[in-house]
Amino acid sequence: MEYLNRDRPDLLPGAQVTAPAPAGAAGQVPHGTTIVSLSYTDGIVMAGDRRATMGNVIASRRIEKVFETDRFSVVGIAGAAGVAIDIAKLFRVELEHYEKIEGTRLSLDGKANRLASMIRANLALAMQGMSVIPLFAGYDTLAQTGRIFSFDITGGLYEEVEHHSIGSGSPYARGALKKLWQPGMDATAAVRVAVEALYDAADDDSATGGPDAVRKLWPVVYTVDSTGAHRVEEAILAEMATEIIAARTASGKEA
C-alpha cells in the first residue's frame, strides 16, 4: 500500500483517473477572485469579493470565496470555482474528522500542510487550466498569534508576513495593502483596510466585484483571534463601504 501510494496511486481500489479536459474547457468554468488577508494586533482578517467570471462574462455576483474551516482558521479560494469550493468543503470535513478521531485539533502548521497536499493532488487539473490557489490563515493557539499561508499550484507552501493577496486583482490589492497596513491595528481598522484593498482591486480588475449598493452585496470578511473565527456582519461592511465610496467621491480624483 505504501509503495502504491507513493508510485502508482492510480492502481489503488477506488482511484479515479482524470480524463484530459477538452481544449478551451477551462475558459468555460467560473473562476473566483480576489482574496486578501492581513494581520492585526490580536489575529488576522480575510476577505473576498463576491464575483465569479467565465471568460468575459460575469457568472455570479453572489459567490462566497472565504470559508471557516474550523474554530481558529479560514480559507479563501481563487481559481476554478467548483473545484475550489469542493476542496474547501473537503478540507473542513477532514479537520472535523481529525478532531473527532484524535480528540484534539490539528496544529495550524499541520492544517496548512494538509491543504498543500490537497492542492498538490489537483495538479493534473491545474495543468489543464483549472487551477485552485487558496489562501489560508488562522490563529495559532500555541504561538498566540495570527498567521497567513499562501500556496502555488504544485502544493508549495509559504508563510506570509503582515498581509497577502491572491487572484487576478491581487496586484492592485497588494499595492493598497502596502500603503494602508500599519502595525498595531485593531480588528475594525484591519477590516476597513481589507475592504478598501478589495475596492482598489475592483477599480482596476474587471474580474473583481466591488461593493454593490444596488443589490446590497458586500465582501465576505472574517476575523480570527483567540476567541475563534467570526464573520463580520453585513451592516458593518455596508457602513464601511459607504464611507469609502463617499470619501473617494469627495476627493474628486479620476484615477
Side-chain angles (χ1 to χ4, degrees):
M1 288 292 289
E2 291 177 358
Y3 171 77
L4 287 176
N5 269 313
R6 184 177 67 250
D7 294 293
R8 291 298 302 276
D10 55 298
L11 296 179
L12 287 170
Q16 297 181 352
V17 179
T18 304
Q28 302 171 19
V29 174
H31 280 67
T33 59
T34 299
I35 308 296
V36 301
S37 186
L38 61 149
S39 62
Y40 65 95
T41 303
D42 298 321
I44 63 95
V45 168
M46 184 175 288
D49 75 305
R50 303 293 296 274
R51 178 175 293 179
T53 58
M54 192 163 55
N56 65 329
V57 177
I58 297 175
S60 174
R61 291 183 174 89
R62 298 177 179 273
I63 188 173
E64 297 196 4
K65 311 170 193 175
V66 180
F67 303 90
E68 179 181 344
T69 49
D70 70 358
R71 184 181 172 190
F72 292 103
S73 63
V74 291
V75 64
I77 52 95
V83 179
I85 292 172
D86 276 351
I87 288 177
K89 289 180 178 178
L90 179 59
F91 181 50
R92 179 167 55 193
V93 170
E94 288 202 4
L95 295 185
E96 290 176 358
H97 179 70
Y98 180 91
E99 186 174 345
K100 289 176 181 178
I101 296 299
E102 300 295 333
T104 184
R105 290 189 186 90
L106 192 61
S107 68
L108 196 64
D109 287 296
K111 297 172 192 175
N113 284 319
R114 178 57 194 140
L115 184 55
S117 67
M118 295 176 71
I119 299 306
R120 192 175 302 115
N122 190 59
L123 184 58
L125 283 176
M127 299 304 292
Q128 297 175 51
M130 285 182 274
S131 61
V132 175
I133 305 295
L135 188 60
F136 178 68
Y139 185 81
D140 191 328
T141 55
L142 297 177
Q144 297 186 342
T145 186
R147 299 170 67 190
I148 302 169
F149 299 89
S150 65
F151 306 80
D152 59 34
I153 61 171
T154 65
L157 172 61
Y158 316 96
E159 184 165 1
E160 305 295 339
V161 179
E162 297 174 354
H163 51 74
H164 194 65
S165 178
I166 59 171
S168 64
S170 60
Y172 314 107
R174 287 182 195 176
L177 290 170
K178 286 181 180 180
K179 300 296 183 183
L180 298 172
W181 185 89
Q182 298 291 334
M185 290 191 303
D186 61 13
T188 301
V191 170
R192 184 183 175 92
V193 168
V195 173
E196 193 150 2
L198 287 176
Y199 187 101
D200 280 341
D203 202 32
D204 288 298
D205 175 44
S206 61
T208 304
D212 192 333
V214 174
R215 298 178 179 85
K216 306 298 181 185
L217 295 176
W218 318 107
V220 175
V221 185
Y222 277 88
T223 62
V224 189
D225 56 24
S226 60
T227 64
H230 309 280
R231 182 164 176 167
V232 180
E233 296 178 4
E234 290 199 348
I236 296 174
L237 297 174
E239 183 179 353
M240 285 184 177
T242 302
E243 290 174 356
I244 291 169
I245 293 170
R248 298 196 175 202
T249 301
S251 69
K253 295 180 180 179
E254 183 177 339

